[in-house]
Amino acid sequence: DAGVTQSPTHLIKTRGQQVTLRCSPKSGHDTVSWYQQALGQGPQFIFQYYEEEERQRGNFPDRFSGHQFPNYSSELNVNALLLGDSALYLCASSRAANRGNEQFFGPGTRLTVL
Amino acid sequence: AQSVAQPEDQVNVAEGNPLTVKCTYSVSGNPYLFWYVQYPNRGLQFLLKYITGDNLVKGSYGFEAEFNKSQTSFHLKKPSALVSDSALYFCAVRDSSGGSYIPTFGRGTSLIVHP
């Protein structure tokens, strides 16, 4: 079992550019959540996808958008990058059936905006 | 609304001594509580969770946590710390009722175990 995988590992962009981050969930998981983790902070929830729909969204602007594919993998897109978007972006997968299910996290994508 | 607090930014303990990392929470209904660990430049790894049942929960790597409903706490403990336990620890809470599927994470506590 490969667990949750994310790509790329690191990314450097300049202000105003757009970026796409990718995530493949753990085998058997159907729900994918994205988090932003700034240095020295806990993960901040961006949004969650289930059955290819955005099920819940955190307090992030519309510049942050996502998608879930039929195979449950997911993408996070960020448009018009700002310096403040520099962070570790974490993908987490889980099974939707029970809210008590823990999330399994990928290693993250380190985004640096210059 | 749900929230979680980790009152200590950093905990220092000598190897072989017991360790405690504190967490308190607030939810409208009954809580689902989680502990995760993060090593440098890595994602979060699940340690243990409380859903229902016994207040003392045992998890990975010898860690355990005690759910205390009256004090709304879920402190992480280990009887004998290892240098390799040094990492960032996050507590998370999710309300078992209501419409949210998302856990709220604390700011994290840096555990430093000295040789």
Side-chain angles (χ1 to χ4, degrees):
Chain A
D1 184 1
V4 180
T5 60
Q6 292 186 244
S7 63
T9 306
H10 296 87
L11 206 51
I12 299 176
K13 293 286 188 178
T14 57
R15 283 177 296 174
Q17 287 189 310
Q18 177 266 344
V19 67
T20 297
L21 310 181
R22 296 176 175 82
C23 171
S24 291
K26 181 179 170 63
S27 178
H29 287 186
D30 54 11
T31 301
V32 173
S33 302
W34 287 93
Y35 292 85
Q36 180 193 67
Q37 186 180 19
L39 201 60
Q41 301 293 319
Q44 298 295 312
F45 171 69
I46 301 174
F47 41 55
Q48 184 182 81
Y49 277 85
Y50 171 65
E51 293 187 339
E52 302 179 52
E53 297 284 338
E54 183 183 288
R55 180 158 72 173
Q56 193 166 345
R57 188 179 182 91
N59 189 25
F60 278 79
D62 292 343
R63 297 187 298 108
F64 290 77
S65 63
H67 189 76
Q68 186 178 34
F69 299 94
N71 66 352
Y72 307 120
S73 67
S74 178
E75 289 182 348
L76 164 65
N77 300 291
V78 186
N79 295 321
L81 284 167
L82 303 174
L83 295 179
D85 295 332
S86 295
L88 181 68
Y89 287 84
L90 297 167
C91 170
S93 72
S94 58
R95 292 183 183 180
N98 188 330
R99 293 184 193 182
N101 288 335
E102 63 271 23
Q103 295 179 310
F104 287 77
F105 284 79
T109 294
R110 174 71 63 184
L111 173 64
T112 302
V113 182
L114 302 177
Chain B
Q2 59 191 32
S3 65
V4 63
Q6 293 182 243
E8 303 155 317
D9 289 336
Q10 184 171 303
V11 170
N12 291 276
V13 64
E15 188 174 32
N17 283 359
L19 70 87
T20 299
V21 183
K22 296 179 180 178
C23 171
T24 58
Y25 67 89
S26 175
V27 293
S28 301
N30 292 317
Y32 293 150
L33 293 156
F34 307 84
W35 275 103
Y36 292 84
V37 61
Q38 186 177 33
Y39 296 98
N41 299 312
R42 302 291 297 276
L44 278 66
Q45 296 178 32
F46 169 73
L47 281 179
L48 51 80
K49 68 179 178 182
Y50 171 82
I51 303 301
T52 187
D54 289 342
N55 290 341
L56 185 63
V57 178
K58 294 188 182 295
S60 306
Y61 313 120
F63 284 93
E64 59 188 28
E66 186 169 10
F67 171 63
N68 188 317
K69 187 172 184 178
S70 63
Q71 297 186 3
T72 62
S73 67
F74 190 56
H75 301 331
L76 181 70
K77 301 181 180 183
K78 187 173 182 181
S80 178
L82 300 173
V83 172
S84 58
D85 292 330
S86 299
L88 196 55
Y89 290 81
F90 291 96
C91 180
V93 66
R94 182 188 302 167
D95 199 327
S96 63
S97 60
S100 176
Y101 296 87
I102 308 305
T104 297
F105 285 83
R107 292 179 51 132
T109 298
S110 177
L111 173 66
I112 299 175
V113 182
H114 302 277

